[in-house]
Amino acid sequence: MTSRPTSAKDAMLRVAVPNKGILSEAATDMLSEAGYSTRRGSKTLVHRDETNGVEFFYLRPRDIAVYVGSGILDAGITGRDLLLESQAPAEEVVGLGFGSSRFFYAGEAGRFSSVDELAGLRIATSFPHLVQSDLKARGIEATTVQLDGAIEVSIQLGVADAVADVVETGSTLRAAGLETFGEPLLDSEAVLVQRDGADSSVEVLRRRLESVMVARQYVLVDYNIEERLVPEAIALTPGLESPTVSPLQETGWVAVRVMVEAKDVNNVMDRLYAVGARAILVTSIGACRI
């Protein structure tokens, strides 16, 4: 592992952030929601958040795992696929819930039905290490052709017999007359990675990012209900751990506060009302620590 140079900056947590691409904006938004200041312009390469003791470095997503794995930076946000492809000794800390994609083999429509049929063929990809690792695990010998872009046209041009690429909607593949086959090589998403031996300051970053994911996923629901009906209501709203139940001034009534998944909240409100809950209020969660 490469040692970081000793300087006054070492007191700051050094974090890599994607400088462009589909991960960049989402990563910046998440960091902002977690309470960090971020760069104001796309040309800024380094931004210091003095208040939180963090220095952000805006780098190519493919390079982030290399910088973190070498120990030059403490942590970074990149794709799981890019982390594995880099073969860098960086550790995935937590998935961040955005940038989701699946990695598939694809070929001309109707040609392939099984990954085993790739034996002896040429596979074009931007992720040769990831593909070779998957082929080895399957016991298949094939040749990888490394390309940086326009993977889909490689078959038409005679460079490859099949491709392996990240698939989001599949529209680009279909436009090129290709279709996926077999099980995905990998389910990818944006991940927080850290260097070997990272200190507790990365743990603070992790907790903050996880709090953003919880705040996005859940809402706070308050409602009043007769005490005798609480068991039925709690069955509908068990919360993450346990609801808060407080007595009201009116005898026999209580107030309940609980976290509910945002995607289900309207159905939950209907069911709560049906069992006797009243004054049902929903509040967005700005930040939390679970």
Side-chain angles (χ1 to χ4, degrees), residues 140-163:
I140 299 172
E141 290 189 10
T143 302
T144 54
V145 179
Q146 183 173 356
L147 299 174
D148 289 332
I151 304 297
E152 297 80 11
V153 77
S154 63
I155 297 175
Q156 182 180 346
L157 293 176
V159 174
D161 304 296
V163 302

Side-chain angles (χ1 to χ4, degrees), residues 161-281:
D161 304 296
V163 302
D165 203 6
V166 173
V167 178
E168 294 179 21
T169 65
S171 59
T172 304
L173 287 176
R174 289 191 294 273
L178 307 182
E179 64 180 7
T180 62
F181 58 91
E183 294 297 315
L185 289 75
L186 175 72
D187 288 318
S188 185
E189 65 176 317
V191 295
L192 175 67
V193 299
Q194 69 178 17
R195 64 178 175 83
D196 181 39
D199 60 26
S200 59
S201 54
V202 176
E203 178 67 11
V204 173
L205 173 62
R206 180 191 66 79
R207 286 200 303 268
R208 285 199 181 193
L209 295 178
E210 286 182 331
S211 78
V212 172
M213 289 189 283
V214 172
R216 289 175 173 179
Q217 185 178 356
Y218 288 87
V219 292
L220 195 62
V221 176
D222 292 274
Y223 58 89
N224 298 339
I225 194 166
E226 289 185 73
E227 191 169 8
R228 65 184 179 84
L229 299 174
V230 166
E232 291 181 69
I234 297 306
L236 296 172
T237 57
L240 289 182
E241 294 180 352
S242 178
T244 299
V245 180
S246 307
L248 293 175
Q249 185 173 4
E250 185 175 349
T251 303
W253 282 75
V254 297
V256 178
R257 169 166 284 187
V258 64
M259 292 173 66
V260 172
E261 286 194 76
K263 64 182 179 65
D264 296 328
V265 69
N266 283 292
N267 285 330
V268 170
M269 291 173 71
D270 292 339
R271 293 169 184 168
L272 283 172
Y273 194 90
V275 300
R278 296 296 182 266
I280 306 171
L281 304 176

Side-chain angles (χ1 to χ4, degrees), residues 116-134:
D116 293 335
E117 296 171 18
L118 291 172
L121 300 183
R122 301 163 300 166
I123 305 168
T125 183
S126 298
F127 297 82
H129 296 300
L130 184 59
V131 171
Q132 281 294 343
S133 177
D134 181 73

Side-chain angles (χ1 to χ4, degrees), residues 41-162:
S42 60
K43 294 184 179 180
T44 300
L45 300 180
V46 181
H47 173 78
R48 289 171 64 86
D49 179 353
E50 301 284 355
T51 300
N52 291 293
V54 180
E55 192 170 19
F56 293 109
F57 295 81
Y58 293 84
L59 307 171
R60 291 178 68 245
R62 278 184 174 270
D63 296 337
I64 287 175
V66 176
Y67 280 104
V68 174
S70 67
I72 295 172
L73 300 180
D74 299 300
I77 295 174
T78 187
R80 181 177 293 123
D81 52 349
L82 299 175
L83 168 63
L84 295 176
E85 176 62 24
S86 73
Q87 298 185 297
E91 174 189 355
E92 178 177 331
V93 180
V94 64
L96 299 177
F98 65 87
S100 297
S101 61
R102 308 183 85 187
F103 203 90
F104 277 97
Y105 293 108
E108 294 175 320
R111 177 175 178 182
F112 297 99
S113 59
S114 169
V115 176
D116 293 335
E117 296 171 18
L118 291 172
L121 300 183
R122 301 163 300 166
I123 305 168
T125 183
S126 298
F127 297 82
H129 296 300
L130 184 59
V131 171
Q132 281 294 343
S133 177
D134 181 73
L135 292 172
K136 183 178 179 180
R138 299 175 189 261
I140 299 172
E141 290 189 10
T143 302
T144 54
V145 179
Q146 183 173 356
L147 299 174
D148 289 332
I151 304 297
E152 297 80 11
V153 77
S154 63
I155 297 175
Q156 182 180 346
L157 293 176
V159 174
D161 304 296

